Amino acid sequence: KEVHYWINYEYQGDLTEFAGFPVTIKADGTKLQKNRIEIDLSSKYPGQKIVLSTFKEFVKVDFVSPTAETFGNTVGMLGD
């Protein structure tokens, strides 16, 4: 199943890395339009990831194994 996304105003533009970290795009393959984009932070922060999941029009942002070293000063919607 093909994942539909936009990056930098380009439909399905090159998305192999984000801010120097590798990106993996996965499709669930169901009719529910469930997709995942994983940003692997392991090169600098071992075992940590940022996972963006979609379900229809909903988006979930999940921090896998977060530490204060990585996200300690985060402010805005996802922190503080």
Side-chain angles (χ1 to χ4, degrees):
K1 181 179 173 184
E2 186 177 342
V3 177
H4 301 280
Y5 64 91
W6 288 79
I7 183 160
N8 296 331
Y9 302 107
E10 186 178 345
Y11 177 68
Q12 293 185 315
D14 184 34
L15 185 57
T16 55
E17 68 172 32
F18 182 80
F21 297 105
V23 174
T24 306
I25 301 173
K26 300 177 182 179
D28 187 6
T30 67
K31 294 181 181 180
L32 297 177
Q33 303 170 357
K34 191 173 180 183
N35 303 305
R36 289 171 52 108
I37 297 175
E38 296 183 0
I39 303 169
D40 188 359
L41 306 177
S42 292
S43 61
K44 188 169 183 180
Y45 306 104
Q48 297 185 46
K49 291 181 181 182
I50 300 173
V51 179
L52 307 169
S53 303
T54 64
F55 176 74
K56 296 186 180 183
E57 69 272 9
F58 300 100
V59 178
K60 174 184 175 185
V61 178
D62 190 23
F63 297 94
V64 178
S65 303
T67 64
E69 176 189 4
T70 308
F71 301 105
N73 293 325
T74 303
V75 295
M77 288 179 59
L78 302 176
D80 195 0

